[in-house]
Amino acid sequence: KDASEATKVRKEKVELDPKNLTYLLQRDKQKIQQVRQILVQAKAMGLPVLHVFYEDLAGSAANLEAVRNFLRQNSSCPPAPLSKAPGWVKLHNGSLSHLIGNWNEVKKSLEATQWEWMLND
């Protein structure tokens, strides 16, 4: 089922709202800055902090295990084996212009902004 679903999704193109795109990117940038500030404060208070990125988890079972160990630290919970290997599959290969259905509109909305770098395939 997962493979057939992935095959179906691979064929679909994403449509982005170019009118709100820069607003949404700015809002997300602010949220990321807030989270970073919270993590700095937590670390300063002596709380353990672990930075995890999707690519870290999708690329290695060892990285997933490191996250599990981090979450279990100072806990009496026994390590439970993973019942199934994570089934993450890269869905799209190639350029963004092939993934985004309204690429020309998106490109136009991001040109000459701080996010123009995202247009580089």
Side-chain angles (χ1 to χ4, degrees):
K1 180 183 177 191
D2 291 339
S4 64
E5 186 71 22
T7 301
K8 179 183 171 189
V9 171
R10 278 187 187 106
K11 295 177 184 177
E12 296 176 6
K13 288 195 172 200
V14 175
E15 294 282 328
L16 301 176
D17 179 3
K19 292 179 182 163
N20 290 321
L21 192 54
T22 56
Y23 164 77
L24 294 171
L25 289 167
Q26 182 63 36
R27 187 188 69 187
D28 287 350
K29 181 180 177 182
Q30 291 170 346
K31 286 180 181 181
I32 290 168
Q33 289 171 340
Q34 290 171 344
V35 168
R36 286 182 177 156
Q37 290 172 350
I38 291 168
L39 292 174
V40 166
Q41 292 170 352
K43 197 170 187 178
M45 292 175 11
L47 297 171
V49 173
L50 178 66
H51 295 268
V52 180
F53 299 93
Y54 168 80
E55 292 81 5
D56 297 335
L57 296 178
S60 167
N63 289 342
L64 181 59
E65 188 61 30
V67 171
R68 293 177 74 211
N69 290 336
F70 175 82
L71 294 172
R72 277 197 321 266
Q73 69 185 359
N74 301 321
S75 168
S76 60
C77 294
L82 286 173
S83 60
K84 179 181 172 188
W88 294 305
V89 177
K90 184 174 176 91
L91 294 177
H92 295 281
N93 294 314
S95 67
L96 292 174
S97 60
H98 291 111
L99 169 63
I100 300 172
N102 58 338
W103 174 250
N104 289 331
E105 295 171 59
V106 168
K107 185 177 176 184
K108 190 179 287 187
S109 73
L110 294 180
E111 286 175 340
T113 71
Q114 62 181 311
W115 296 285
E116 184 173 22
W117 63 269
M118 293 180 173
L119 299 172
N120 300 328
D121 285 332

